[in-house]
Structures are given as C-alpha cells and as structure tokens.
Amino acid sequence: MISDAIDNEQVEILLNDVLETHGYDFLEYSHASIKRRIIRLYGLDNFVSFAEFRYTIKTDKQYFKRFLEEITVNVTEMFRDPSFYKSLRNDVLPVLGTYPFIRIWVAGCSTGEEAYSLAIVLKELNLLNKSLIYATDINPSVLEKAKKGMFPLNYLKQYSENYLQSGGLKDFSTYYTANYSLAKFDESLNSKMIFSTHNLVSDHSFNEFQLILCRNVLIYFDKDLQHKVFNLFDGSIEKLGYLALGSKESLEFWPKAKEYKRVKMEKIWRKL
Ligand SMILES: C[S@@+](CC[C@H](N)C(=O)[O-])C[C@H]1O[C@@H](n2cnc3c(N)ncnc32)[C@H](O)[C@@H]1O
C-alpha cells in the first residue's frame, strides 16, 4: 500500500541525504507532514523502490528541484484572512507611516500574493513610496512567479471579496490587467519589492525591519525550529517593530514572548 511505501527510518535517510548533498535542512520540519508529502511524491512519480527514489533525489539536480517544490507547501492567496489585513491597515501601518522609511520582510512569500496585497494596502495609505518589501522564500521557482505578479484570473473573484472584507475601498480590478487566463498586477506595486531566496533554517538575518510577516510557514516546523526562527526574527526587528504570524501560529511558549505585546485579536505582536 502506498501509505506504507516509506517508513520513518527511510524518511530520516532521505532528509539526511538532502542535507548532505543539496544543503537543505528539513530534519526539524514537523515529521508527520513531511513524511506525508514524501510518500505522496513517491506515489505521484511512480517509483518502484525506495533505492531508486533515494538515488534520483541524490543525483538528479532537476528532480531535486521537483522534490523541493513538492516538499514545501506553496498554497497562498491575496488578502488571506481579511481581518488580518484590516488590522494591518488600521492598527499597524498608520503607526509605521510616521517613520521616514518602512522596511518590511515577507518571509516565506511563496508566489507573492501576500506581498502584492501588502503593497496595495501601503499604496492606499500613501505609504508605498517610502516602503521597501523584501519578499523571500526557500524555493526559487515560486520567487520567479512572484516577480511576474501574474495570478490566475479565476481566483480574482475570491481575492476581490477578501480585499473588500479587509477594508479595501477601491474597485479591485483597477490594480490589474486581465490577459487571457492571467491577471497582471500593476508594476507600481512590485517596483517596491525585492525578491530573494532565503532559508529560514540556515540563513542569517540580513537587515533590520519595522515589520516582519511570516505567515503559514512555521506551522510546518517543529517547536525547536520555530523558536530558532523566532530568535532570527527577534534579531531582525527594530524596537517597537511588529511580527505577524499565520492564524494557527503563535509566539506562545517561546522564552522571549513576554518581550512582545499582542495587537488586538490578530496574530500580530509588537516588540517592546
Ligand atoms: C503555505 S506557504 C505560505 C505563503 C504565504 N506566507 C501565505 O501565508 O499565504 C509556505 C511557504 O514557506 C516556504 N518555506 C518553507 N520552508 C521554508 C524555509 N525554511 N525558509 C523559507 N521559506 C520556507 C515555502 O516554500 C512556501 O512558499
């Protein structure tokens, strides 16, 4: 049966190979979810033995690219959790608007929908000109898509509803041009974005930010790794800066959590 195709020991072997051969460390990702994705990939690509699967991942660079894409979950959407964007619009960005310059890091940005949503809110608050959004991800393929700012047109109805629920006041369609099956977003939005690969597990802090968004990424990490990443963020957020997490993520149990204050009901914390 496919669910028995790969056992825990084999998962360990694969992840150690990936670390040694390709330099990506997935050993502290949540075990159940990474195992599920490995088994899924094994089935999808019709491997007949673990040995063949292991050999291909180790030696075929092209296949490793596919492995990376399948192992990392890239699901995202624009204005995901509208109440979160409402709080950014009403509680967080107006405070940052009093600064001369706003540096924001979107960590684990996937194909960019979150960074474009943020840029739209900044634009509507007249803050985009003095902002810079650093959008990073472990997976180079999603960043290539993010740079283009083109999203499937059939998702736009949902995105437009999310935008309105988040407090957006404009006609959402003014932000993009429809081109066959894609919506191409206004270049004024991504002119304020810098896309780059960055691995939260192994790479260091690269700047100081007033706001870091890392949403729906840490959910795939085990507790120790989550705490390591919180320390990385702590070293990258200015005093009185903000950290935003996904709806199922929390700073709770992280030893330094008391140095942060929650903003209302959202998963947003301010560094004291
Ligand atoms: C589920 S998506 C979340 C996208 C977006 N933040 C959102 O909330 O809609 C998770 C993203 O985290 C990225 N990711 C996973 N592990 C990472 C790591 N170690 N460093 C940086 N990004 C990582 C994945 O490639 C993926 O694009």
Side-chain angles (χ1 to χ4, degrees):
M1 230 172 71
I2 199 72
S3 60
D4 300 317
I6 292 177
D7 62 26
N8 291 345
E9 202 181 316
Q10 289 168 324
V11 170
E12 280 306 282
I13 291 173
L14 278 183
L15 297 184
N16 276 300
D17 281 355
V18 164
L19 177 58
E20 273 169 32
T21 319
H22 303 284
Y24 287 90
D25 186 353
F26 292 108
L27 287 161
E28 289 179 273
Y29 278 49
S30 129
H31 181 81
S33 122
I34 205 146
K35 181 178 179 189
R36 206 166 38 242
R37 298 192 73 80
I38 287 175
I39 290 174
R40 182 172 169 273
L41 181 62
Y42 182 86
L44 273 178
D45 292 349
N46 297 315
F47 281 97
V48 287
S49 72
F50 173 72
E52 186 196 356
F53 188 43
R54 179 182 179 189
Y55 181 77
T56 311
I57 292 169
K58 254 180 111 158
T59 58
D60 182 341
K61 277 207 172 118
Q62 208 48 38
Y63 190 76
F64 178 69
K65 209 168 151 244
R66 169 158 172 76
F67 176 86
L68 193 59
E69 279 162 27
E70 287 297 320
I71 289 312
T72 53
V73 180
N74 299 313
V75 180
T76 185
E77 64 183 61
M78 291 190 83
F79 293 94
R80 183 177 196 173
D81 306 319
S83 65
F84 166 78
Y85 281 92
K86 192 172 242 170
S87 188
L88 274 190
R89 182 187 284 273
N90 296 332
D91 307 317
V92 175
L93 296 176
V95 177
L96 298 183
T98 61
Y99 298 3
F101 194 75
I102 310 172
R103 269 188 313 276
I104 302 173
W105 179 14
V106 181
C109 67
S110 188
T111 38
E113 286 82 339
E114 192 175 36
Y116 285 82
S117 309
L118 183 60
I120 288 173
V121 182
L122 286 164
K123 192 173 172 126
E124 293 185 2
L125 296 175
N126 280 323
L127 298 176
L128 188 58
N129 279 339
K130 63 169 176 177
S131 304
L132 206 48
I133 300 172
Y134 293 76
T136 64
D137 201 281
I138 190 178
N139 180 351
S141 313
V142 290
L143 292 171
E144 282 314 309
K145 291 191 185 157
K147 279 181 203 161
K148 294 194 176 117
M150 293 200 259
F151 306 122
L153 200 54
N154 54 336
Y155 295 164
L156 268 286
K157 187 173 173 291
Q158 177 65 51
Y159 294 172
S160 167
E161 281 166 18
N162 288 356
Y163 163 77
L164 293 174
Q165 277 176 35
S166 77
L169 298 172
K170 292 211 174 171
D171 175 354
F172 195 55
S173 65
T174 58
Y175 289 110
Y176 62 86
T177 326
N179 198 345
Y180 298 99
S181 59
L182 292 173
K184 163 104 180 89
F185 275 76
D186 197 309
E187 295 207 338
S188 66
L189 301 174
N190 62 6
S191 67
K192 305 303 278 182
M193 298 176 195
I194 295 174
F195 293 99
S196 166
T197 51
H198 181 279
N199 186 342
L200 290 166
V201 180
S202 51
D203 291 336
H204 297 287
S205 173
F206 57 94
N207 213 328
E208 279 233 313
F209 300 91
Q210 285 98 26
L211 168 62
I212 297 179
L213 271 73
C214 183
R215 304 180 63 230
N216 308 298
V217 179
L218 301 181
I219 199 172
Y220 301 105
F221 295 2
D222 74 15
K223 272 276 163 300
D224 287 347
L225 182 55
Q226 288 182 12
H227 291 184
K228 235 160 62 187
V229 177
F230 290 146
N231 289 334
L232 168 72
F233 291 154
D234 188 48
S236 314
I237 301 183
E238 273 186 17
K239 196 171 181 314
L240 298 179
Y242 296 88
L243 173 63
L245 304 178
S247 62
K248 298 191 195 78
E249 296 157 340
S250 170
L251 283 189
E252 219 187 347
F253 306 124
W254 175 49
K256 291 184 86 174
K258 48 191 174 311
E259 295 170 26
Y260 285 73
K261 186 175 185 303
R262 183 106 178 248
V263 176
K264 294 199 175 155
M265 298 299 288
E266 294 304 322
K267 293 296 182 74
I268 304 175
W269 285 263
R270 189 165 200 199
K271 186 173 179 173
L272 299 173

